[in-house]
Amino acid sequence: MEENKTYTISVYSENNVGLLNRISGIFLKRHINIESLNVSKSEIDHVSKFTIVVHTTEDWARKIVGQIEKQIEVIKAYYHTNEETIFQESALFKIASNLLFDERQIQNIIKDNHSEIVTVSPEFFVISKSGRREEIEEMYEQLKPYGIMQFVRSGRISVSKSEMQISNILKEFQYQ
Amino acid sequence: MEVKTLKKEESKTGTSIRVSGAEAVIHCLLAEGIDTVYGYPGGAIMPIYDELFKFKDELHHVLTRHEQGAAHAAQGYARVSGKVGVAMATSGPGATNLVTGIADAQIDSTPLVCITGQVARHLLGSDAFQETDIVGISTPVTKWNYQITHASEIPEVIAKAFYIARSGRPGPVLIDITKNAQFEEFDFKYQKCTAIRSYTAKPTISQLKIEEAAEAINNAKKPMIVWGQGIILGKAEAELKAFVEKTGIPAAWTILGASALPNTHPLNVGMVGMHGNYGPNILTNECDVLIALGMRFDDRVTGDLSTYAKQAKVLHFEIDPAEINKNVHADVPVLGDVKESLEAILPLLKENKHEAWHNEFKEKYKIEFDKVIKNDLQPEKEGLTMGEVIEQINIASKHEAVIVSDVGQHQMIACRYAKFNTSKSNITSGGLGTMGFALPAAIGAKMGAPKREVVAVIGDGGYQMTIQELGTIFQTGVPVKIVVLNNEFLGMVRQWQQLFFDKRYASTEMTNPDFIKIAEGYHIQAKKVTKREDLATAVEEMMASPDAYFLEVQVEKEDNVFPMIPTGASVSDVRLS
Ligand SMILES: Cc1ncc(C[n+]2csc(CCOP(=O)(O)OP(=O)(O)O)c2C)c(N)n1
């Protein structure tokens, strides 16, 4: 049996309403859990980028990418291991404002984790932290004893070390 | 600079006309060369039906008796003609009734454009009367789908729909049009779509792979071909024949590949798969090079994958990149249009005969003949077999009929024993195994190939799933021939119960109505045969009839289809009894 690994699937697509449904259906059909999903613009005008993280075998990652690429609005899809990408996640912590003054340690946690305070109001303040999953988890554990009012972490965003040759495909179409 | 995501054919007139969205839909269909559409009206699609009324001389609308029938009829039409089939339905239940046919077309790569009406834009998402999210529902079973909410989108979206349905690996497309968009007027101009930026219809063929494949074929001692529907969809029948004849390689087919090369061709060694021929199944695990042409290694073909053709070098000629290495590892993947790939490889191939290897197929055929075929085609017992009915159809049609089969034992028997001279003659629901497919599909097939004889072969179970389409046959007068092989059982399920569930016949016995009276109720000529001596004349009479004809044959109740590869078993373990 091939071992499970974390793969980041990057999908370049035309901007289309139904595509998210089509793509998530591909995972659903194979009972593969999506660990995280992020949709944003890409480096190319009018082209969207999906960043999907899954934990599965390479064989499945390849088959899924094949099925995703088959979708009409998908320009190109890739899968990469962690080693082949630069990636991070972001998190927001909402914490009661009085703690900032009563618990000196919180300020150290903020500094040691290279995170920043986004906003402060009389009732609460918000810390933002970007980085690897483990770093965010660690900060979460450190803050937890003091009480976290709200916590949220984003899906992974990533860029690949190697080139993903989208522009060429698009240029070819434009000028052919 | 304008970003191009789509390429269009220059329009011939260049001028636009002011029309309603509904009328625009008709102009689009006519511009795509469509002459027949199948459907069923209802509230949300009434503006389009109103236009169909005005255009009834140009566009023939066939009113089926159920939307599933419309989808299957469009499939039958598409599969015999190679053109895109069109089905229409209203929103809500009309649209959901199409879904089985769409799913069938998706898995069998049939080009369909389905048009559904939808509630007006301002009502979307409000649970309005007959609102259903058909775009959401049909997403996993369509090649593409789209909801139009403004009339101005109609020409471009429909142009895209036809291009996507027919190009590359074909498939069904669904276009949902809100009622307001059908009423709205706009300046209409049609340009066919010729390319889409994010979609590669045909992957470019790699010369390197062609050469690698040629070398493997030229060095092979025991090569074997398995071709699939890709040959038919890719119009590569002549290339397949040239390839087979030059190399002398034994060639077998999947059920959807049937008829691409005549059954009587000396290099045609029969059908692979669960109920396929003994030789090609067994020898799949003895060949040294397996050449897969336009087929997708369905589990009904391969049986247990871990013991499938492990000894062989696999060359996979395929248009859909997602099929490469999906089920069977391809040692040499040859991506691209199979017709072009075969054209490219032919000059590189050496002439050969492979006589000794052919003899192995012949020996296996002898075994199968003695153990199975003889009893099916020349039975000595009293009861009629399904096989002898198919054989009579072969004789009466001189191998020229289109056989549209339903799903079950009769389907496997039809695929095993029907003889075809002409391509696109075996119309059956392969991937989805949809009971109820045959009767409506036969209607579409006859309309798509009016000069050909079309014979539907159906079990007593499947017949009753879409029996209402007799009404369509009566109303249109389409002269299809219907043969029901009545074993008073859901035969295929009963066979499994007998073999794998100790004969516990749970809900497979059927108490059937008087099928003759039902046919006659629709004013269709009908006859029932219960004895062998009446069979030949009855089949001849049916074939000679200029009109639709219903023939019921009472066959043996508990016959089984063999050979059989039990689910999950290896192709080497094919059973003869
Ligand atoms: C819509 C649908 N429901 C259920 C099945 C499962 N099924 C496969 S074959 C079969 C029996 C078919 O019986 P019949 O039409 O009488 O044909 P026979 O096998 O007797 O030739 C059934 C129920 C199916 N394929 N399709």
Side-chain angles (χ1 to χ4, degrees), chain B residues 224-229 231-232 240 250-265 267-273 275-277 280-281 293 295 301 412-420 426:
Chain B
M224 174 173 153
I225 292 168
V226 178
W227 87 78
Q229 194 190 199
I231 295 292
I232 297 171
L240 170 70
W253 37 275
T254 68
I255 66 170
L256 292 192
S259 83
L261 186 72
N263 295 76
T264 48
H265 193 286
L267 296 170
N268 183 335
V269 294
M271 171 169 132
V272 291
H275 295 288
N277 291 108
N281 273 327
L293 304 175
M295 57 83 86
V301 162
M412 293 299 120
I413 294 289
C415 292
R416 284 176 54 75
Y417 296 119
K419 298 271 188 294
F420 303 109
N426 187 45

Side-chain angles (χ1 to χ4, degrees), chain B residues 6-29:
Chain B
L6 205 76
K7 286 183 188 165
K8 299 172 183 169
E9 205 175 55
E10 283 304 311
S11 82
K12 287 177 196 83
T13 60
T15 53
S16 55
I17 46 168
R18 192 145 185 97
V19 296
S20 69
E23 186 178 342
V25 170
I26 310 295
H27 288 298
C28 294
L29 296 177

Side-chain angles (χ1 to χ4, degrees), chain A residues 14 16 21-22 46-47 59 62-63 66-67 70-75 169-170 173-176, chain B residues 1-7 136 139 142-145 164 169 195-199 320 322 325-326:
Chain A
E14 305 289 0
N16 178 280
N21 193 3
R22 277 192 179 269
H46 312 293
V47 170
D59 188 40
R62 196 185 51 241
K63 283 177 186 166
Q67 295 297 332
K70 207 166 137 163
Q71 306 308 316
I72 303 292
E73 276 96 5
V74 170
I75 299 166
I169 300 175
L170 302 186
F173 191 88
Q174 187 80 17
Y175 298 111
Q176 216 175 46
Chain B
M1 186 191 61
E2 196 206 347
V3 180
K4 265 199 258 173
T5 59
L6 205 76
K7 286 183 188 165
T139 292
T142 46
K143 187 171 172 188
W144 186 63
N145 59 9
I164 291 167
R169 177 176 180 176
I196 295 169
R197 178 169 84 162
S198 55
Y199 165 62
D320 178 358
N325 296 334
K326 188 183 85 176

Side-chain angles (χ1 to χ4, degrees), chain B residues 68 100 386 406-413 432-436 458-465 485-495 507-508 510 512 555 557 561:
Chain B
Q68 182 185 352
T100 302
M386 294 182 172
D406 209 72
V407 172
Q409 291 184 313
H410 65 281
Q411 172 191 36
M412 293 299 120
I413 294 289
L432 204 65
T434 306
M435 284 172 73
I458 318 179
D460 49 310
Y463 183 52
Q464 294 179 76
M465 282 209 175
L485 299 179
N486 187 356
N487 53 12
E488 290 173 356
F489 267 111
L490 296 172
M492 185 57 92
V493 178
R494 188 211 51 76
Q495 174 170 347
S507 297
T508 42
M510 301 275 265
N512 285 322
V555 294
K557 286 181 80 155
V561 186

